Amino acid sequence: MRVLIVNTSERMGGAALAANRLVEALNNNGVKAKMLVRDKETDNITVVGLGNAVKGRLNFLWERWCVYWNLHLGRKRLFELDIANTGYDITSLREFKEADVIHLNWINQGMLSIADIRKILESGKPVVWTMHDAWPATAICHYTQGCKAYTSTCRNCKMLPDNGGPKDLAYRVWKKKAAMIDGQHISFVTCSRWLEGLAKKSALLTGQSITAIPNPIDTRVFCKKDQQEARKRAGLPLDKKIILFVSQRVNDRRKGMDFMIEAIDKMIAEHPEMKDTAAVAILGGHSEDFTGHLRLPAYPLGYVSDEKKIVDVYNSADVFVLPSLEDNLPNTVMEAMACGVPCVGFKVGGITEEIDHEKNGYVAQYRDSSDLAKGIYWVMEEADRAALSESAVKKVASSYSQHLIALKYIEVYNHALAFKNYKI
């Protein structure tokens, strides 16, 4: 079986990491998998780049301009919305023609337009689409922020100025997406049961196949190492307990750094002795912006792409905290757990599927910085950390291993092939 996995970027973002790991997992389990991307960054022979960087940049800028215009020249939500009005026609590529299954992943920001996706669906090849966020089930947003319009028809969008209107941008894109899917079959895969539930409520996806399969992780890479040696390599203090926060963009409000700051304030107010015993490590872009806001010594590590260094940073931590306000199945939680680090997060999205409360970490009440502080302190000072660590590693091995996830996807591919052959 030949599978072509399509994603905007080769390495940037959680979807790219997940897609790369899936390509490796599939190739290790008898499937010939390749990845097609707009932004190719390595010489990996299993990854094919589209090659036209100028077109890719123009696509990106045109879509951003159209979103910017509909935001009345406002930048606040400029990268929270996608309209897929431009992209590449990939159906004439050799890799597309050779593939038995086309597997879409995160294809926004000028990779595929709605018209391009329709052409893929009309090609006759079975299509699997992994949802890394809610965009395939909504009109224009990646995260719904509690909005339920997608269960009927997106319109009056609260993310647009003045709540859009009855025939706003969201409504127009919704109609295009509905026409794109009409009469076609897509095997949708969500990375969490939370997102599966959301997708099944979408009026766009009525009648489509929807199942949940988590992202895979290579536990040969993300694994427990000696903490002191890891800290030496990462340049982190040897004599403090380290609280770790990781995000591609630390200033992404959805990832909850504001709640992290509040929680640490409350923890220090209740346990002032921790000023001398604890520190915070921040991994990700714009990490330096937050060091002055924390009441503990902070170590901004910036954006790091070196996987070995990332593993060292995880292994340096005593607790990993990700207080996301809305999230699917964060790779960062999975990576930390694979390294034996107990995790703390809010009761939201797919985070509760990763963290088992008081078994491998702590699940705090949603948006409750006091409970978040309680969870951080509990992991660091009160719980049996060795037991939490062992449970975290076991959870990853039993739920997210490459072999297990590859077999689940192979089953989805076979069903998609059988459905297409039946229809023919």
Side-chain angles (χ1 to χ4, degrees):
M1 184 191 303
R2 296 176 182 269
V3 175
L4 183 65
I5 293 178
V6 185
N7 198 72
T8 300
S9 173
E10 178 183 1
R11 300 185 67 184
M12 185 66 70
L17 288 175
N20 267 287
R21 290 170 182 172
L22 182 58
V23 168
E24 182 179 4
L26 291 171
N27 282 318
N28 289 338
N29 285 274
V31 174
K32 294 181 179 180
K34 285 186 177 182
M35 189 170 167
L36 177 67
V37 300
R38 183 192 68 191
D39 304 329
K40 182 171 169 60
E41 300 176 48
T42 72
D43 57 2
N44 188 336
I45 60 172
T46 64
V47 181
V48 179
L50 288 169
N52 193 336
V54 173
K55 176 177 171 56
R57 187 62 179 166
L58 290 174
N59 285 353
F60 171 80
L61 291 173
W62 173 242
E63 186 185 26
R64 285 312 98 197
W65 166 253
C66 293
V67 173
Y68 184 53
W69 178 260
N70 280 275
L71 290 173
H72 297 178
L73 308 186
R75 296 180 58 87
K76 183 179 179 182
R77 300 192 184 278
L78 185 57
F79 291 97
E80 296 180 34
L81 309 176
D82 276 295
I83 59 176
N85 63 334
T86 184
Y88 294 83
D89 176 7
I90 66 171
T91 58
S92 62
L93 298 178
R94 176 174 59 84
E95 289 80 10
F96 183 93
K97 293 177 179 178
E98 290 177 349
D100 299 304
V101 177
I102 306 302
H103 185 167
L104 306 181
N105 277 252
W106 201 88
I107 44 73
N108 297 111
Q109 297 190 356
M111 176 64 184
L112 296 179
S113 69
I114 291 172
D116 295 328
I117 298 171
R118 177 70 187 189
K119 195 165 185 180
I120 292 169
L121 294 172
E122 290 176 342
S123 71
K125 291 183 181 287
V127 175
V128 174
W129 193 343
T130 292
M131 293 175 57
H132 293 277
D133 54 41
W135 188 82
T138 71
I140 59 177
C141 69
H142 293 274
Y143 287 92
T144 64
Q145 300 182 22
C147 176
K148 302 296 184 184
Y150 68 92
T151 62
S152 54
T153 302
C154 285
R155 52 169 30 116
N156 301 311
C157 182
K158 67 180 183 180
M159 296 191 183
L160 297 172
D162 304 319
N163 289 325
K167 293 189 176 181
D168 60 6
L169 178 67
Y171 175 81
R172 298 193 301 273
V173 175
W174 177 277
K175 287 296 186 182
K176 290 177 182 177
K177 280 187 170 181
M180 172 190 82
I181 295 176
D182 184 44
Q184 301 294 328
H185 178 266
I186 304 173
S187 298
F188 285 96
V189 176
T190 65
C191 301
S192 67
R193 294 189 298 276
W194 162 76
L195 189 56
E196 178 188 20
L198 184 151
K200 286 181 175 179
K201 294 176 184 176
S202 170
L204 267 181
L205 307 189
T206 300
Q208 300 293 340
S209 169
I210 303 170
T211 189
I213 301 175
N215 296 328
I217 188 169
D218 189 345
T219 52
R220 297 167 301 176
V221 175
F222 289 90
C223 57
K224 286 186 72 170
K225 298 182 182 296
D226 181 87
Q227 188 181 75
Q228 293 294 294
E229 292 301 318
R231 288 186 180 186
K232 288 176 185 177
R233 291 190 293 268
L236 292 168
L238 305 179
D239 60 344
K240 293 183 182 294
K241 292 187 175 181
I242 293 179
I243 304 165
L244 176 63
F245 179 95
V246 179
S247 177
Q248 182 181 341
R249 290 186 296 111
V250 177
N251 60 355
D252 182 349
R253 289 188 177 275
R254 184 174 58 84
K255 293 296 184 178
M257 176 52 94
D258 290 343
F259 285 89
M260 171 91 156
I261 293 168
E262 285 182 21
I264 288 174
D265 281 349
K266 292 181 178 183
M267 185 176 68
I268 295 302
E270 190 170 344
H271 306 283
E273 72 280 1
M274 294 194 73
K275 276 188 175 182
D276 300 319
T277 61
V280 178
I282 310 172
L283 180 64
H286 303 280
S287 56
E288 67 284 352
D289 296 350
F290 294 88
T291 56
H293 299 279
L294 293 159
R295 291 181 64 187
L296 288 174
Y299 296 83
L301 302 173
Y303 179 79
V304 175
S305 58
D306 184 337
E307 205 167 58
K308 290 182 179 179
K309 185 172 181 180
I310 293 171
V311 171
D312 280 335
V313 172
Y314 280 124
N315 274 280
S316 298
D318 292 282
V319 59
F320 174 69
V321 184
L322 187 67
S324 291
L325 304 180
E326 197 169 11
D327 227 326
N328 185 9
L329 195 83
N331 290 323
T332 51
V333 173
M334 190 186 302
E335 290 164 357
M337 289 172 61
C339 295
V341 182
C343 298
V344 179
F346 284 138
K347 187 177 182 179
V348 69
I351 289 176
T352 58
E353 298 168 32
E354 296 176 296
I355 305 175
D356 299 315
H357 185 56
E358 295 189 349
K359 292 181 180 178
N360 54 38
Y362 189 97
V363 179
Q365 293 303 307
Y366 185 56
R367 287 179 172 264
D368 187 338
S369 57
S370 295
D371 199 22
L372 190 68
K374 179 182 176 182
I376 297 170
Y377 184 80
W378 180 80
V379 169
M380 295 179 72
E381 302 293 338
E382 296 175 340
D384 182 340
R385 190 185 183 283
L388 293 179
S389 177
E390 182 181 359
S391 179
V393 172
K394 285 182 178 179
K395 174 66 176 282
V396 171
S398 64
S399 302
Y400 310 125
S401 72
Q402 284 192 333
H403 178 67
L404 175 67
I405 303 308
L407 292 182
K408 288 185 176 182
Y409 266 108
I410 290 170
E411 185 177 357
V412 170
Y413 298 150
N414 283 329
H415 283 166
L417 282 163
F419 181 88
K420 184 63 69 172
N421 290 335
Y422 173 78
K423 294 290 285 187
I424 292 172

